[in-house]
Structure formats: structure tokens, C-alpha cells
Amino acid sequence: MTDSPRTGTPALLVAALVCFGLGLLAIVVMFVTLLVWNDPPGLWIYLSAMLCPLGFLLGLIHALRSGRRARR
């Protein structure tokens, strides 16, 4: 068994980036909706905006798990 690093992108990092990106997109859609139509955005936009902090949390978990100290 060799100690070579894994190739490819970890699934947790991909999930974090997708969630964070979709959350940011939902926040932009929320403000555009308020500016264009003068109606409050739907509940689904508010709920999908919560993907942004979820993605940040997943990214933080990935960073803490992948940044472990090396064993002696």
C-alpha cells in the first residue's frame, strides 16, 4: 500500500461548492425579484437561500477533515 494522495475531487467538497453556489444564486434571484416585480419572493427562494450557509458548513467540515495533522 502506498501513501499517495487521492486523485480527483472529494465528494464533500463538490457538495459544498454546489450548495454554496446555488445558495448565492438564490440570494441574487431574491433581490432581482424584489427589484423587478415589487412582490415578495416565494418561500422556495428563501428556503433555497439557506443552501449558502449549508455549503459553507460543508466546506468547513471538509477543510477540517482533510487538514488533519500527519502522524509520526
Side-chain angles (χ1 to χ4, degrees):
M1 186 184 291
T2 62
D3 289 332
S4 64
R6 279 196 248 168
T7 58
T9 307
L12 187 59
L13 181 60
V14 171
L17 290 173
V18 168
C19 285
F20 191 78
L22 289 175
L24 281 179
L25 182 65
I27 291 171
V28 169
V29 167
M30 186 185 316
F31 283 111
V32 168
T33 302
L34 286 172
L35 290 174
V36 173
W37 284 290
N38 290 330
D39 286 335
L43 179 65
W44 66 275
I45 295 179
Y46 288 117
L47 293 177
S48 59
M50 293 303 295
L51 288 172
C52 196
L54 176 66
F56 180 76
L57 181 65
L58 289 175
L60 186 63
I61 290 170
H62 169 73
L64 291 175
R65 288 183 67 200
S66 65
R68 296 185 298 239
R69 292 185 198 170
R71 293 183 183 169
R72 291 185 183 189

